[in-house]
Structure formats: structure tokens, C-alpha cells
């Protein structure tokens, strides 16, 4: 299986993003969804492709006049780029990452687990995700049979629109998945709902049912797994989201769905995806064309020229240039990068100590003469750094820009499926123990780790640690710790958890983020999560 290489034209993506973003009513109120596209746009039938590109664009871009602009009223670009705020809420809030510059809005509270409903990063995530829902609904309203008939749209374009509509519904379901996971509720709006109305609010169980039913309903209209253009969603993405919600169903609904998770893991494993030849290929500037093209199931596309943004890979690559080591040239950005902005917490660094992890390709830790612990977060010379992502290609060429990187963010990739299969099996979801062991060993073999495991080694605690080693800094960790019952409470503490340098217990209400105060004021149906 080889996915077609190039994604939807980034120029078309930018053009339509400009068009839909300039409407006055795309704000963070319940009227998010009331954006109207002019009929003149659709005089050219290629507009439908451009409009669906605009829905995708909201995952990467924040505005139309450069990386520092925002199309959401009152919200800064730096606190509302989808991938970046997702990374902060899922990774910076847990045991893998530290951000040195705590004067950056919202970061101090997130990484110390002391956030409030006024945190701008939480507001950015809530708002940006709802905006994707608005864009998806808008596309669906403009592609009804009635609208297409009135415009005399050709049969050839109508065939494409069937796929586009399925993709729009998937992107909407993806957005509701993150709302369910992070906030436990969302303003719930469909394309068939009346405009200019105050939306109802769906809770976790309702969102779960909607996401599940929606993905199952569109399955046959999505391009088969791996057959769509790179950067566009296909059946594999739908199966990945289903596997993820089923793996976490006990958290979301109180019901065990591990057998369903196993079912979709097996489907994904049989869909033609394959692991990249080298682990690092997944995190390089040409990960859309090197062997990672077969492993990455869905990326957030990044381009150092046409889609400049302060997204997760730009932040992580510039941020993981050390204050002492000055390794920027090695990772394809300016020599000093952002001077030690990002480091790892002690607990993550310790996962690589002992055993046979020194030469494991996933171990990109640079320790130098630094102490492993971070006593003072502002002291950028303490704590280890890592070099997982790079703005260089698999052949050694640098990205096109030394700040804004070409490296796509792997939102979902096959390695996660290997580990989900193993965990679902251990939790009683079926499958074979021997297959679970083989799938974990595939990852270790790919990483050149000679320490292969046997059936006696594979336990749930082992899987949690292996997920951290394989998937660190890919926006999974908070979700994983919650599923294992280790995020809140005091059974597992990490450096600066709860604002204690060695970590302290945090209350269970922090398993959900608060509903932003500004969002609460815009919809009387929204209520605050407990404990805030």
C-alpha cells in the first residue's frame, strides 16, 4: 500500500481559508456555525474541493495574514493553533515535557496543573475545535442535493462531493472526540439544525454515541484506508478514532468496549499500513514522502513556506534546541533555536535509564552535563532535552525555512495501533497474546532495541511505559494516564505535578478541563465542570 503523495493543494487551502475566515460571525459564541458562503463562489465547480480544503486548514492555520494572525475574535494565534494547544493540554500537562518560558500565556498553569477557566490555552482549544465543527457544518449545508440541483452540478463533481461530505462529517466527529476527551461536553450543532439558535450541550455519553454512529454511517463513503491523498481523511482515520474511543470508553461512558477496540485495531493492522523503515522518519521534514508515508494514518500538515504557523512541530523543533548544546543546525532551524524552551521531566528521562535503551532509536535524549531534575523551571540548563523532531529530511536536506518547519505532526500513526492491540488484549478485549507480543517487538526491532519481550513481560504497566517511549510528545500522554487511573490523585506523582517540585496529588476534577468562562457566557445551556 502506498498512499498518493500530495495533499489538497495548499494554495487552494489558503484561498478558501481566507474566504471563510473573513466572515464577521466566526467568533466563539454559539453563532460560530452561522457562516454563509456566497453563491458566486460555486460558479466554478472546483470550489467544492477548495471549501473542504478550508475545513482541513483549520487544523493547521490560525489566520490568513501570517503565522501571528487569528481568525477567532479575541483569541491570539499562539494560544489557538489546534495542534499546539492539543499538545499543551495532552502532553505539557503530564509527565513528559516542561516549557521554560512561563510568561507565555497559560503555559505555567497547564504544566503545573493549576489551571482555571480563564486559561487562554484552554479557551483556544475550545474555540478552535468548535470552529472546525462550524466549517464542517457549513460545507455540509452547501452540498445538499437541493443546493447541488439548483446549481446544476455535474455528475462527476457530485461523485467527488460524496467523499468530501464524508470527510467533513469525519472532521466534525474528530472535533467532538477531542471535546469529549478534554472537556466532557460540547455545544452540539449539526448542519441540519436551524441557524441563529442557541445550541444544546451534549455530555460525554451523548458525544460518544454521536461520534460512534457518525463514523459508522459514513464508513462506506470514505475512501478505503490508505488510498486517499496524503493529508486527507479516509476510512483508516475513521477506524482509528473508533479504536481510540473504544479503548477509552470506560472513562467516557463507564462501559467496557475493549472487544470493539480490538476489532478496529485488527482492521487497521490489515489495511495495508506498515511501519516506517526507521523510527525517525515519522518526525522529519519529508515525513509525507519518506517511508513514514505508510505509517502515518492522519497528519496535521505543516509547510515552511505556504502554511507557516506556530504549530506543534514548529514549537517542538525550535523549542528542543538546548541552551548549552545549541543543536539548532542539526534539526534544521536557526543555530540557537529558542534557547532551551523545552526540556523533559525527570520521570520521562528515567524511562530510558537501565536495560537496553541506550541505543534504542526512540531515545533521542541529550543529557550532556545537565542534572536530570528541574528544580527551577526557569533554569534552562537543568533537565535533559530531546531531539525527536527535526526540520531536515531523511536525506539530510534542511527544510525550506529556519523557523517554520516542513515537518508534519503525526496525529495518528500505526505504531499506536500495535500498542492499543496489546493493551486491549490485556484488558480482556480478545485477540492473541502471541500477536500482542509480536506487535510490541515489531516496534522494538524497528528501533534497533535488542531487548525483545516475551509473554511473561507484557503487563499493563509495561504497556503504559512503552507507550511513553514510543509515542512521547505526540499528544497522547494525559489521555493514557487517565485511562490507567494515574493522572489525578497521588498514586503517581511527577515533577511539578500540582505545582510541587517533586509532584503532589491533584484532585480528580482535573481529569477534565474547565469550560472557558468566555464560552460559558456565550451559551446559557453550558454549565461548568465540577470543581471549577
Amino acid at each position: 500500500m502506498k498512499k498518493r503523495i500530495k495533499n489538497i493543494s495548499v494554495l487552494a487551502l489558503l484561498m478558501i481559508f481566507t474566504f471563510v475566515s473573513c466572515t464577521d460571525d466566526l467568533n466563539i459564541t454559539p453563532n460560530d456555525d452561522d457562516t454563509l458562503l456566497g453563491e458566486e463562489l460555486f460558479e466554478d465547480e472546483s470550489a467544492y474541493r477548495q471549501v473542504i480544503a478550508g475545513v482541513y486548514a483549520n487544523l493547521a492555520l490560525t489566520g490568513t495574514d501570517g503565522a501571528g494572525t487569528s481568525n477567532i475574535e479575541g483569541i491570539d494565534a499562539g494560544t489557538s493553533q489546534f495542534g499546539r494547544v492539543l499538545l499543551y493540554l495532552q502532553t505539557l500537562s503530564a509527565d513528559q515535557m516542561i516549557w521554560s518560558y512561563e510568561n507565555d500565556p497559560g503555559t505555567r498553569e497547564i504544566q503545573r496543573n493549576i489551571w482555571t477557566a480563564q486559561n487562554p490555552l484552554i479557551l483556544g482549544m475550545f474555540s478552535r475545535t468548535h470552529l472546525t465543527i462550524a466549517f464542517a457544518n457549513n460545507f455540509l449545508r452547501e452540498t445538499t442535493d437541493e443546493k447541488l440541483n439548483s446549481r446544476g452540478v455535474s455528475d462527476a463533481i457530485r461523485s467527488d462531493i460524496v467523499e468530501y461530505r464524508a470527510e467533513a462529517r469525519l472532521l466534525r466527529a474528530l472535533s467532538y472526540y477531542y471535546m469529549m476527551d478534554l472537556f466532557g461536553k460540547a455545544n452540539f450543532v449539526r448542519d441540519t439544525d436551524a441557524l441563529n439558535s442557541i445550541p444544546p450541550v451534549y455530555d460525554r455519553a451523548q458525544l460518544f454515541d454521536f461520534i460512534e454512529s457518525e463514523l459508522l454511517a459514513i464508513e462506506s463513503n470514505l475512501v478505503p484506508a490508505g488510498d486517499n491523498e496524503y493529508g486527507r481523511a479516509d476510512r483508516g482515520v475513521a477506524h482509528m478514532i473508533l479504536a481510540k474511543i473504544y479503548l477509552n470508553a470506560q472513562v467516557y461512558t463507564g462501559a467496557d468496549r475493549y472487544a470493539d477496540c480490538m476489532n478496529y485495531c485488527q482492521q487497521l493492522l490489515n489495511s495495508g499500513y506498515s511501519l516506517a523503515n526507521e523510527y525517525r522518519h515519522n518526525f522529519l521534514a519529508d515525513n509525507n514522502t519518506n517511508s513514514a508515508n505508510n505509517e502515518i494514518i492522519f497528519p496535521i500538515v505543516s509547510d515552511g513556506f505556504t502554511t507557516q504557523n506556530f504549530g506543534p512541530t514548529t514549537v517542538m523543533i525550535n523549542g528542543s534546541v538546548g541552551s548549552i548544546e545549541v543543536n539548532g543546525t542539526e534539526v534544521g532551524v536557526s543555530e540557537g533555536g529558542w534557547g532551551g524552551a523545552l526540556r523533559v521531566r525527570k520521570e520521562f528521562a528515567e524511562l530510558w535509564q537501565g536495560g537496553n535503551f541506550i541505543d534504542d532509536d526512540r531515545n533521542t535524549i541529550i543529557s550532556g552535563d545537565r542534572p536530570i531534575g528541574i528544580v527551577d523551571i526557569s533554569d534552562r540548563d537543568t533537565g535533559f532535552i530531546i531531539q525527536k523532531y527535526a526540520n531536515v529530511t531523511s536525506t539530510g536536506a534542511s527544510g525550506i525555512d529556519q523557523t517554520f518547519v516542513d515537518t508534519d505532526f503525526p496525529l495518528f500513526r500505526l505504531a499506536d495501533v500495535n500498542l492499543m492491540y496489546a493493551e486491549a488484549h490485556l484488558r480482556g478485549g480478545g485477540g492473541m497474546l502471541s500477536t500482542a507480543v509480536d506487535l510490541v517487538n515489531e516496534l522494538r526491532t524497528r528501533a534497533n532495541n535488542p531487548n525483545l519481550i516475551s509473554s511473561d513481560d507484557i503487563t499493563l504497566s509495561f504497556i503504559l511505559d512503552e507507550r511513553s517511549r514510543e509515542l512521547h510528545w505526540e499528544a497522547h500522554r494525559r489521555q493514557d494516564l487517565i485511562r490507567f487511573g494515574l493522572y489525578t490523585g497521588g498514586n503517581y506523582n511527577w515533577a511539578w505535578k500540582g505545582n510541587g517540585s517533586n509532584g503532589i496529588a491533584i484532585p480528580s476534577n482535573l481529569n477534565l478541563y474547565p469550560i472557558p468562562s468566555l464560552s460559558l457566557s456565550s451559551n446559557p445551556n453550558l454549565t461548568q465542570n465540577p470543581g471549577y
Side-chain angles (χ1 to χ4, degrees):
M1 182 275 295
K2 184 70 173 177
K3 287 180 275 190
R4 285 178 277 167
I5 296 301
K6 198 56 190 168
N7 49 293
I8 287 179
S9 165
V10 289
L11 293 177
L13 180 150
L14 284 168
M15 183 183 79
I16 195 62
F17 195 68
T18 300
F19 184 90
V20 298
S21 299
C22 288
T23 56
D24 291 335
D25 49 9
L26 285 181
N27 49 46
I28 57 171
T29 72
N31 293 329
D32 283 13
D33 222 44
D34 302 350
T35 176
L36 300 174
L37 299 180
E39 288 294 320
E40 65 276 9
L41 176 67
F42 297 100
E43 291 177 2
D44 183 344
E45 290 187 343
S46 66
Y48 294 99
R49 178 178 173 85
Q50 296 164 3
V51 175
I52 191 64
V55 186
Y56 283 99
N58 199 49
L59 299 179
L61 303 178
T62 55
T64 59
D65 295 322
T69 64
S70 175
N71 63 345
I72 304 180
E73 183 180 347
I75 299 180
D76 181 77
T79 59
S80 68
Q81 200 279 343
F82 172 77
R84 180 176 183 171
V85 290
L86 178 66
L87 180 75
Y88 283 171
L89 297 193
Q90 296 281 31
T91 300
L92 188 63
S93 66
D95 62 349
Q96 296 177 341
M97 176 185 285
I98 280 286
W99 180 256
S100 304
Y101 305 127
E102 290 198 295
N103 58 338
D104 277 12
T107 54
R108 181 180 189 275
E109 294 78 15
I110 295 297
Q111 67 184 7
R112 294 173 183 250
N113 313 103
I114 54 172
W115 54 76
T116 68
Q118 286 73 45
N119 187 281
L121 296 168
I122 295 174
L123 176 62
M125 186 68 190
F126 193 93
S127 304
R128 182 63 59 186
T129 307
H130 275 94
L131 190 55
T132 296
I133 295 166
F135 283 170
N137 282 334
N138 190 36
F139 178 82
L140 293 168
R141 291 192 190 101
E142 293 298 331
T143 53
T144 61
D145 287 339
E146 182 181 7
K147 286 285 184 76
L148 298 180
N149 289 338
S150 69
R151 296 170 185 151
V153 174
S154 66
D155 290 341
I157 297 300
R158 282 175 180 257
S159 177
D160 290 339
I161 288 174
V162 171
E163 294 176 5
Y164 297 161
R165 284 180 60 85
E167 291 173 44
R169 292 171 69 180
L170 184 147
L171 293 172
R172 182 175 63 183
L174 175 70
S175 299
Y176 280 127
Y177 159 64
Y178 283 117
M179 291 301 300
M180 174 178 67
D181 183 74
L182 295 166
F183 298 99
K185 63 181 67 171
N187 296 321
F188 188 74
V189 185
R190 289 171 291 195
D191 54 294
T192 53
D193 294 335
L195 294 172
N196 299 311
S197 61
I198 296 176
V201 173
Y202 269 29
D203 62 21
R204 259 187 167 169
Q206 291 171 306
L207 289 172
F208 186 98
D209 289 344
F210 173 76
I211 295 162
E212 179 184 32
S213 62
E214 186 78 343
L215 293 174
L216 294 175
I218 64 176
E219 185 175 23
S220 62
N221 289 330
L222 289 167
V223 173
D227 285 351
N228 213 342
E229 296 169 281
Y230 180 85
R232 282 177 60 188
D234 56 26
R235 205 170 297 164
V237 181
H239 290 174
M240 188 72 178
I241 301 170
L242 286 167
K244 299 292 277 187
I245 68 168
Y246 292 141
L247 184 66
N248 293 281
Q250 193 81 50
V251 173
Y252 299 149
T253 69
D256 174 341
R257 300 292 296 273
Y258 300 119
D260 292 315
C261 175
M262 176 63 69
N263 173 38
Y264 281 97
C265 286
Q266 290 172 327
Q267 290 194 51
L268 285 160
L269 291 167
N270 294 325
S271 293
Y273 298 107
S274 60
L275 296 179
N277 297 337
E278 299 180 31
Y279 179 74
R280 70 187 190 105
H281 281 188
N282 289 293
F283 316 105
L284 297 179
D286 62 344
N287 58 357
N288 65 312
T289 58
N290 67 30
S291 66
N293 181 256
N294 292 324
E295 179 171 348
I296 296 175
I297 295 172
F298 192 54
I300 298 177
V301 175
S302 182
D303 186 280
F305 178 68
T306 54
T307 58
Q308 291 187 352
N309 63 80
F310 289 104
T313 50
T314 287
V315 168
M316 287 186 287
I317 294 170
N318 285 280
S320 39
V321 175
S323 56
I324 302 171
E325 295 76 8
V326 192
N327 57 315
T329 302
E330 295 177 37
V331 295
V333 295
S334 62
E335 184 178 5
W338 293 349
L342 284 172
R343 289 160 288 152
V344 299
R345 305 196 199 213
K346 178 180 67 174
E347 290 72 21
F348 175 75
E350 289 173 341
L351 282 178
W352 302 100
Q353 298 185 340
N356 292 303
F357 294 109
I358 297 299
D359 296 322
D360 190 305
D361 289 347
R362 302 170 299 180
N363 180 6
T364 62
I365 284 179
I366 300 172
S367 56
D369 296 323
R370 294 162 168 262
I372 191 172
I374 300 172
V375 177
D376 177 356
I377 290 178
S378 66
D379 181 358
R380 293 169 290 138
D381 296 341
T382 62
F384 297 167
I385 63 173
I386 64 172
Q387 196 167 289
K388 176 170 180 170
Y389 293 87
N391 186 34
V392 296
T393 69
S394 54
T395 60
S398 295
I400 196 169
D401 189 272
Q402 284 194 306
T403 296
F404 301 105
V405 305
D406 291 336
T407 310
D408 297 340
F409 181 70
L411 194 64
F412 299 132
R413 62 185 178 93
L414 182 64
D416 192 2
V417 180
N418 285 33
L419 293 168
M420 285 196 293
Y421 180 107
E423 182 179 339
H425 170 75
L426 292 174
R427 293 186 184 276
M432 300 289 292
L433 176 60
S434 59
T435 302
V437 171
D438 288 345
L439 289 170
V440 172
N441 281 334
E442 281 183 15
L443 301 179
R444 292 200 160 198
T445 299
R446 193 260 299 270
N448 293 308
N449 186 325
N451 187 25
L452 303 185
I453 66 165
S454 68
S455 58
D456 293 334
D457 300 314
I458 191 166
T459 63
L460 284 174
S461 60
F462 167 85
I463 290 296
L464 181 63
D465 287 348
E466 197 71 0
R467 286 186 64 83
S468 191
R469 284 186 280 259
E470 176 71 31
L471 300 168
H472 58 278
W473 290 28
E474 295 182 51
H476 299 292
R477 188 59 172 172
R478 166 194 160 275
Q479 184 185 85
D480 289 347
L481 289 174
I482 289 173
R483 186 172 66 256
F484 279 76
L486 296 175
Y487 188 67
T488 57
N491 289 333
Y492 172 48
N493 293 331
W494 56 85
W496 296 104
K497 176 182 177 182
N499 205 23
S501 60
N502 294 315
I504 60 174
I506 58 176
S508 61
N509 69 288
L510 298 187
N511 281 325
L512 285 174
Y513 285 103
I515 306 302
S517 298
L518 193 55
S519 302
L520 278 175
S521 65
S522 70
N523 183 357
N525 293 324
L526 266 176
T527 57
Q528 186 55 271
N529 283 326
Y532 292 106

